[in-house]
Amino acid sequence: MCKPRLSDEGLWGLPGLPDFLLPSPELSRFQTVGESALGVEPFSYQGEPHMVLAQPFAGRCLILSWDYGLQRFRLEEELSAPSVVSCKPLVLGLRLFVLAARLWGGSQLWARPGPGLRLAPTQALAPKRLLRPNDAELLWLDGQPCFVVADASKAGSTTLLCRDGPGFYPRQSLHAWHRDTDAEALELDGRPHLLLASASQRPVLFHWFGGRFERRTDIPEAEDVYATRHFQASGDVFLCLTRYIGDSLVMRWDGSMFRLLQQLPSRGAHVFQPLLIARDQLAILGSDFAFSQVFHLEPDKGLLEPLQELGPPALVAPRAFAHIAMAGRHFLFAACFKGPTQIYQLHELDLSA
């Protein structure tokens, strides 16, 4: 385990080097969004950054934008989506789409034809295939936008939906009967890949070949993985694998396989989210039982080192983190399942004074 280097003020320094040489990033609370959420997604529409929150108990996808007068995030629009688990945005020119993946009542596609108009439901998405969605991701295949929806039902299969005319329609079923909990789109060796985590086996890596996804390999030493996220640094591709019981894992692609690089204690974790904020590659490990931990990638070591804890108050069952830059400022959204969504602001503290 990495040796902690936390001072009383929550700042970090490198052993053997004077702290005044090291500017230190720190996250401080900025704003609260009252309702709980399962997911949070950033997107840019008409040159303005936005966030969309999936709020299952409120039964909506909540779109937030920046209020330049109040210098805070404000409600822009809400979409009715009972039991929603994921709100995934897609911007195509002047058009805005939002996929609302729902546990009950069927998943829907909402669309805004142009600026100044409101989003409206336009399509029921694969009602006979999407039985119990748990995650939705956007990816581009052969120049066309597609969604992949991970299905966690015993009789379901993860579904790839691609654009065809005015809507999105099933193109391929993947990984049937495995109760998939998470999907992650990534690029390896210049080709699209898809990583699926499930409740029944190790994560499986697919690659795009001949107009469809084909199984390539699975991830060794990675049992009981709930969710997967990736990031790139110094030309390498890394995975953050979330495990609720045991240690969460950091892996690195070696050209043919993901190899174990680091293990981090993570009892009660549902999210291990890498984020590039300003110049800092961070990763946040959420916990249902303790403070969520922020890690910083040390370039010299190629390892994640502890940076700070988020709290008090502690995040209550965090499920997703997302970064948005606005007016030269950097913000972190923390979507919580059993508490309000918290918004943090990143400050880079100058320790040279």
Side-chain angles (χ1 to χ4, degrees):
M1 179 177 175
C2 301
K3 181 180 178 181
R5 297 183 272 114
L6 183 61
S7 71
D8 293 338
E9 293 78 20
L11 306 179
W12 298 84
L14 290 175
L17 291 178
D19 285 343
F20 64 81
L21 295 178
L22 301 168
S24 175
E26 185 181 58
L27 292 161
S28 62
R29 292 180 65 202
F30 176 77
Q31 187 180 342
T32 297
V33 180
E35 295 84 359
S36 60
L38 267 179
V40 56
E41 295 284 345
F43 67 97
S44 178
Y45 183 70
Q46 291 295 99
E48 290 292 328
H50 294 72
M51 279 287 186
V52 57
L53 296 168
Q55 298 181 324
F57 297 131
R60 64 185 182 182
C61 295
L62 185 71
I63 299 177
L64 301 176
S65 61
W66 181 253
D67 189 312
Y68 286 91
L70 297 176
Q71 294 290 293
R72 295 173 69 80
F73 291 94
R74 63 171 178 83
L75 168 66
E76 179 175 294
E77 192 169 354
E78 56 182 289
L79 317 180
S80 176
S83 68
V84 68
V85 297
S86 180
C87 303
K88 183 64 65 170
L90 166 65
V91 177
L92 294 176
L94 298 178
R95 287 168 293 177
L96 171 63
F97 300 90
V98 177
L99 182 151
R102 301 165 54 196
L103 285 178
W104 315 112
S107 298
Q108 289 181 308
L109 184 71
W110 292 67
R112 176 191 291 171
L117 302 175
R118 299 187 66 82
L119 284 153
T122 60
Q123 182 187 0
L125 294 170
K128 295 183 179 180
R129 298 199 192 193
L130 303 182
L131 305 180
R132 191 183 174 190
N134 200 74
D135 181 42
E137 296 296 332
L138 171 69
L139 64 165
W140 289 79
L141 299 170
D142 298 331
Q144 289 295 320
C146 299
F147 294 104
V148 60
V149 181
D151 197 293
S153 66
K154 292 182 180 179
S157 62
T158 291
T159 300
L160 177 69
L161 303 117
C162 292
R163 188 169 180 235
D164 186 1
F168 287 77
Y169 300 94
R171 177 153 178 184
Q172 184 181 0
S173 293
L174 292 157
H175 218 214
W177 308 97
H178 283 294
R179 293 182 293 155
D180 292 332
T181 56
D182 190 74
E184 176 75 350
L186 66 162
E187 185 174 292
L188 297 171
D189 309 323
R191 288 186 297 167
H193 283 67
L194 181 67
L195 186 60
L196 297 180
S198 71
S200 59
Q201 65 174 171
R202 296 182 297 191
V204 176
L205 184 67
F206 296 82
H207 66 127
W208 187 249
F209 182 77
R212 59 184 291 109
F213 277 111
E214 300 286 350
R215 179 180 173 130
R216 179 171 181 178
T217 183
D218 62 7
I219 309 297
E221 305 176 62
E223 305 291 344
D224 302 316
V225 170
Y226 175 78
T228 70
R229 292 293 181 268
H230 81 285
F231 67 95
Q232 297 185 40
S234 302
D236 290 321
V237 178
F238 298 82
L239 283 184
C240 292
L241 304 181
T242 311
R243 299 170 78 189
Y244 187 78
I245 299 175
D247 295 341
S248 287
L249 309 174
V250 182
M251 293 189 161
R252 182 169 55 200
W253 180 251
D254 70 358
S256 61
M257 186 77 69
F258 280 103
R259 305 290 183 184
L260 180 63
L261 183 67
Q262 195 173 2
Q263 298 185 151
L264 299 170
S266 62
R267 180 174 175 266
H270 281 92
V271 56
F272 186 16
Q273 178 71 59
L275 294 165
L276 182 63
I277 303 181
R279 301 185 302 271
D280 299 295
Q281 179 62 61
L282 307 179
I284 306 175
L285 186 58
S287 174
D288 285 8
F289 307 122
F291 286 117
S292 295
Q293 301 178 70
V294 183
F295 295 86
H296 183 266
L297 181 68
E298 296 290 352
D300 294 338
K301 299 180 180 179
L303 298 174
L304 293 174
E305 298 279 3
L307 181 66
Q308 72 176 88
E309 294 176 336
L310 291 179
L315 300 176
V316 185
R319 291 295 182 267
F321 298 95
H323 160 248
I324 189 170
M326 170 56 65
R329 301 157 71 180
H330 295 273
F331 298 96
L332 171 73
F333 279 66
C336 297
F337 183 56
K338 297 181 180 179
T341 294
Q342 299 289 348
I343 306 174
Y344 296 86
Q345 184 174 354
L346 179 76
H347 302 276
E348 189 170 269
L349 301 183
D350 186 358
L351 304 181
S352 61

